[in-house]
Amino acid sequence: EIIALLMYTNAKNAGCSSLQTAVHRISNLENFTGHYENSPDLFRTINLDGKILDCNKSFANYLGYKKKELIGTSIFKTISTD
C-alpha cells in the first residue's frame, strides 16, 4: 500500500491522471531498461560534459572494462584518436 501511494504521488507530480497510468509508465521504463541493458548493441548515456552516466554490459565488455569502471569517466577516454 505504501508503494502504491508513493507511485500515485509520483504519478500526480509527473502529470499522470491515474495510478494505472503511473504503473503503465513504470512498466514501460522497466521494459526500456531491460532492452538497454541486455542489448548486444553498444549503448551509453552521457551528460553534456561527456561524462558517462550509464552504459550497458555490451559497451563495457567491448572496451574491456566493467560497467562500474566506466560510470563517471569521460567518454573521451573511450574514443580512439586514430
Side-chain angles (χ1 to χ4, degrees):
E1 293 176 6
I2 293 173
I3 293 173
L5 177 60
L6 290 173
M7 288 172 52
Y8 183 72
T9 303
N10 289 338
K12 284 294 189 185
N13 291 339
C16 297
S17 59
S18 70
L19 181 58
Q20 184 179 7
T21 303
V23 170
H24 181 71
R25 286 188 179 179
I26 290 169
S27 176
N28 285 344
L29 178 61
E30 288 173 349
N31 191 26
F32 170 79
T33 302
H35 287 299
Y36 180 98
E37 184 58 39
N38 298 312
S39 175
D41 295 319
L42 309 179
F43 290 130
R44 81 266 191 256
T45 305
I46 61 172
N47 67 11
L48 294 175
D49 297 321
K51 180 179 175 182
I52 299 173
L53 303 175
D54 195 12
C55 67
N56 66 356
K57 289 181 254 182
S58 296
F59 183 80
N61 290 340
Y62 181 79
L63 295 173
Y65 292 96
K66 295 180 181 178
K67 278 184 63 165
K68 64 182 179 182
E69 294 175 309
L70 290 171
I71 306 298
T73 63
S74 172
I75 187 65
F76 301 109
K77 177 181 177 182
T78 66
I79 298 174
S80 174
T81 57
D82 295 338

